[in-house]
Amino acid sequence: MPLRKESLLLLLVDMALVLLAWWAAFWLRFNLDIPPEFEALAVQTTGWVLPCYALGLLISRVYRHVWSYIGLPELRQLGAGVLLGGLILAAVLLMLRFPNFPRSVLVLHPLLVLVFLGAARAGWRTFSERTTPSAGERPLLIVGTLQDAADALRTLKGSGNWRAAGIVSPVLAEQGRSLQGVEVLGSVNNLADIAEEVGVHTALMAIAPGAPGRRDVLLRSAEAGLSLMTLPRADEWLRQEGPSPRKVELEDLLGRDPVQLDVKGLSELLSGQTVLVTGAGGSIGSELCRQIARFGVSRLVCVDVSEYAIYQLEQELRAAHPQMQGIYYTANVRESARLEAIAQANKPSVVFHAAAYKHVPLMEELNEIEALRTNVLGTLHAARVAGQCRAKRFVMISTDKAVNPTNVMGATKRMAELVVQGVAAEFTATEYVSVRFGNVLGSSGSVVPLFTAQIARGGPVTVTHPDIVRYFMTIPEAAQLVLQAGLMGRSGQIFVLDMGEPVKIVELARMLIRLSGKTEQDIPIAFTGLRPGEKLYEELLANDETTAPTPHPKLRVAITSGQQVVVAAEVLQWIETVGPAPDRALLRDWLRHQVPEYTFQA
């Protein structure tokens, strides 16, 4: 590849420095007084010095570097090029057998070349940093250890929008030290005072996700009234044009590690295949579609009862994956004939069933029959359709509320799990699995959008009980683990996702209030009492269940000791018989007969 004009100019500068180093090596060898015969020898060998070092530096691709952003990796590459050039020159001169050539020059010269060339690059970077206009750069404090701050400083230099005014370290021994000219101003305990002293209103959280104490540091930073930023995640580096800090989100406070996917296995399962997703317009369903599209499916069939949701999904996927054939249906999973027609027209090899009613209070009163029809009948229809079109896999998304359920929604989802296991025995050519997990941050109907809206209105933030706890994970994490479980599962299995540690809802409310820059004095928290069918805590396993590990650290398989059998024909007949408005007690008694672990207050 020919050198660009800029690279050719840099090569000429380097060759001038290499030549200067050659004479400097002779001067040092002879104590700054070169004898005439050796001066002639230096002149005689100069013609070999430049091509040998030029060859070494070009082979090492040194001239791809941008001097304004030179760092240790570039200096190491420069060192390799200088070493290679020195070895080539030494080999040439030794083969030519110049008489009385001082071999110590061959050792001194590469060292001097490295010093001269490195100094030139370091000097240029220093000059460019001092002369680059800083207009528009906003000051911030970096919160983290010196190691964390080193990574943050590299990101800030690439962003062009922020300037580090100081470092606040949780390590007491690091106070008073400095890094790249940025001083450690104090500890996290004094963050508010430090920010006021230096006139900064923004803090960059540099502590890595999952690191001990990160959540406490984030909350303390929020309490200081600072606007919180954090470094972009790996997937965000790929999506954005340049590295730049972003605002701290609730996901950052949870500190969950990224999901490790079996990319090869999922590619083999999905690439070039037709995949059908029910409930495709919902929070989990739409994220599943995004994740599935990444694996190069030839056709993605999206089914949702909401016209607006499916329209939004269509617009997004057409723009993001124009090469993918997307097919978008408005259809209800409760209508078996419609679902069967869609499946027979597209012949999916994998079916993900995300369509469900999930809002506990709404399904607990007035809408119980709707939960039964959608969550149970809809699952039965989707599972049977997958078997009839001989799909390889069927994956149903379940919930932690299906474990020892105390509400209609949870009981119907537990029935849906049993239905899937029953259909699995009917269609042995298809692998049927269910995936059980807890609350998903930001999903429709979850507490996070509710709390965010309440904070925006000035409060109060309503929490049902001070001791209520829930498991949480992010939407992308849930969707990725559903895909992974679908790949690994054997027919009839129920997978349980590692939800991490449960979070108190009141703590979640406090985190959101602090992230908004407010305090609990500004936005009060009000306790309203448990709603019908609501538990203080959710479980991921029933009393008679244990789990078995899988090759994936965030997935386990539920093992049930005594399995209830749901007869599909009886379910269909009963729902048809009771009509559109069954008696409340009658419906619950029937549910308890189907799901013995279901308990409710009459």
Side-chain angles (χ1 to χ4, degrees):
M1 182 184 293
L3 288 176
R4 295 173 299 181
K5 290 182 180 180
E6 297 87 349
S7 299
L8 185 59
L9 178 61
L10 296 178
L11 176 62
L12 293 176
V13 171
D14 282 348
M15 291 304 100
L17 294 173
V18 166
L19 189 59
L20 178 62
W22 184 247
W23 283 96
F26 273 90
W27 287 331
L28 291 175
R29 166 63 181 80
F30 295 103
N31 296 321
L32 307 182
D33 186 15
I34 308 174
E37 63 273 20
F38 286 102
E39 187 173 343
L41 188 60
V43 173
Q44 186 180 359
T45 54
T46 296
W48 292 102
V49 174
L50 299 182
C52 289
Y53 272 88
L55 180 61
L57 293 172
L58 289 171
I59 290 175
S60 299
R61 300 183 178 185
V62 166
Y63 297 103
R64 293 188 175 188
H65 300 167
V66 179
W67 284 25
S68 299
Y69 300 102
I70 206 79
L72 281 178
E74 289 78 15
L75 290 178
R76 283 193 288 267
Q77 195 172 351
L78 175 65
V82 169
L83 177 61
L84 181 58
L87 292 174
I88 294 173
L89 177 62
V92 169
L93 295 183
L94 291 175
M95 284 190 296
L96 294 176
R97 296 180 180 276
F98 286 96
N100 301 321
F101 187 87
R103 296 187 178 183
S104 57
V105 169
L106 298 177
V107 177
L108 283 172
H109 183 242
L111 297 176
L112 292 172
V113 170
L114 184 59
V115 170
F116 288 2
L117 268 59
R121 285 157 171 76
W124 181 258
R125 173 169 174 172
T126 301
F127 173 76
S128 64
E129 287 180 351
R130 290 183 178 275
T131 56
T132 300
S134 58
E137 286 189 344
R138 291 170 285 176
L140 55 70
L141 291 173
I142 297 176
V143 181
T145 65
L146 287 177
Q147 178 61 53
D148 299 327
D151 297 332
L153 286 170
R154 282 193 291 270
T155 302
L156 291 179
K157 286 179 180 177
S159 70
N161 299 319
W162 298 94
R163 172 180 56 82
I167 300 170
V168 178
S169 174
V171 180
L172 293 177
E174 293 180 349
Q175 295 182 29
R177 303 176 68 181
S178 65
L179 178 69
Q180 299 181 28
V182 182
E183 186 179 351
V184 179
L185 300 177
S187 71
V188 177
N189 296 332
N190 302 321
L191 181 58
D193 296 335
I194 295 170
E196 185 178 356
E197 183 178 340
V198 297
V200 169
H201 304 288
T202 304
L204 174 63
M205 178 55 55
I207 301 174
R214 185 175 191 266
R215 185 190 297 183
D216 293 337
V217 173
L218 273 168
L219 291 176
R220 190 171 289 132
S221 303
E223 287 174 348
L226 298 173
S227 175
L228 292 180
M229 310 289 286
T230 189
L231 298 177
R233 295 186 295 265
D235 59 327
E236 294 169 332
W237 279 73
L238 295 175
R239 290 198 299 266
Q240 58 192 23
E241 295 181 359
S244 182
R246 60 168 176 81
K247 283 191 174 182
V248 166
E249 299 169 354
L250 189 59
E251 291 91 329
D252 301 304
L253 286 172
L254 293 181
R256 296 182 63 85
D257 297 327
V259 176
Q260 301 300 319
L261 291 177
D262 179 2
V263 175
K264 181 181 178 182
L266 286 170
S267 295
E268 292 174 355
L269 176 68
L270 301 174
S271 180
Q273 302 297 315
T274 297
V275 179
L276 186 149
V277 180
T278 70
S283 305
I284 299 297
S286 60
E287 183 63 27
L288 270 174
C289 291
R290 296 182 194 102
Q291 300 287 345
I292 291 166
R294 291 173 45 216
F295 287 97
V297 294
S298 66
R299 183 186 298 173
L300 180 58
V301 183
C302 305
V303 179
D304 199 280
V305 71
S306 168
E307 177 192 29
Y308 181 63
I310 208 73
Y311 166 74
Q312 282 189 310
L313 182 65
E314 177 194 24
Q315 296 300 304
E316 178 185 344
L317 293 182
R318 284 191 191 280
H321 303 278
Q323 79 290 347
M324 182 189 72
Q325 183 184 5
I327 301 178
Y328 305 91
Y329 291 98
T330 55
N332 196 324
V333 293
R334 301 191 323 201
E335 299 172 3
S336 59
R338 170 67 167 158
L339 204 57
E340 184 177 347
I342 292 171
Q344 292 300 332
N346 295 281
K347 301 290 185 184
S349 61
V350 184
V351 176
F352 290 94
H353 178 53
Y357 281 133
K358 63 180 184 179
H359 198 274
V360 171
L362 277 178
M363 296 303 106
E364 195 65 20
E365 296 178 347
L366 306 178
N367 299 299
E368 300 96 321
I369 191 64
E370 297 299 309
L372 197 60
R373 287 174 172 172
T374 296
N375 294 355
V376 180
L377 279 190
T379 298
L380 174 62
H381 296 155
R384 278 185 166 173
V385 159
Q388 290 165 358
C389 66
R390 300 186 69 82
K392 295 177 184 176
R393 292 184 178 272
F394 174 90
V395 184
M396 187 202 77
I397 295 173
S398 188
T399 171
D400 57 356
K401 294 174 179 63
V403 182
N404 295 324
T406 59
N407 51 66
V408 170
M409 193 282 280
T412 57
K413 290 299 284 185
R414 176 58 184 150
M415 270 196 73
E417 293 178 352
L418 298 174
V419 163
V420 170
Q421 291 176 329
V423 176
E426 184 180 348
F427 297 96
T428 56
T430 301
E431 300 280 355
Y432 287 86
V433 299
S434 299
V435 184
R436 189 187 284 171
F437 55 85
N439 297 272
V440 178
L441 284 175
S443 64
S444 59
S446 70
V447 296
V448 174
L450 173 64
F451 287 172
T452 303
Q454 289 175 338
I455 292 169
R457 293 196 299 265
V461 174
T462 56
V463 179
T464 56
H465 193 282
D467 296 324
I468 192 168
V469 297
R470 290 292 183 267
Y471 293 95
F472 285 97
M473 63 168 44
T474 65
I475 292 177
E477 182 181 7
Q480 289 166 6
L481 286 173
V482 167
L483 291 178
Q484 189 68 45
L487 172 66
M488 296 167 48
R490 295 194 304 274
S491 202
Q493 288 183 325
I494 298 175
F495 279 85
V496 180
L497 304 191
D498 173 19
M499 298 296 298
E501 294 297 322
V503 178
K504 273 192 171 186
I505 298 298
V506 67
E507 288 300 324
L508 191 70
R510 290 184 181 125
M511 290 178 195
L512 286 169
I513 291 170
R514 294 171 189 176
L515 284 179
S516 71
K518 305 289 185 180
T519 66
E520 289 169 51
Q521 285 71 38
D522 304 318
I523 309 289
I525 296 176
F527 296 103
T528 58
L530 290 175
R531 297 171 296 184
E534 190 173 39
K535 294 181 183 179
L536 275 179
Y537 60 93
E538 301 292 356
E539 307 155 274
L540 292 174
L541 291 172
N543 292 334
D544 61 345
E545 290 178 329
T546 57
T547 62
T550 71
H552 196 282
K554 290 196 173 186
L555 290 171
R556 297 184 70 86
V557 176
I559 302 173
T560 55
S561 57
Q563 185 168 314
Q564 177 78 5
V565 177
V566 171
V567 180
E570 293 180 2
V571 173
L572 286 167
Q573 183 180 0
W574 190 88
I575 293 177
E576 183 68 25
T577 302
V578 296
D583 178 74
R584 182 177 186 270
L586 177 67
L587 185 143
R588 283 165 172 76
D589 285 338
W590 182 82
L591 262 181
R592 185 164 56 184
H593 176 72
Q594 301 295 323
V595 183
E597 62 267 34
Y598 169 45
T599 58
F600 65 94
Q601 293 181 349

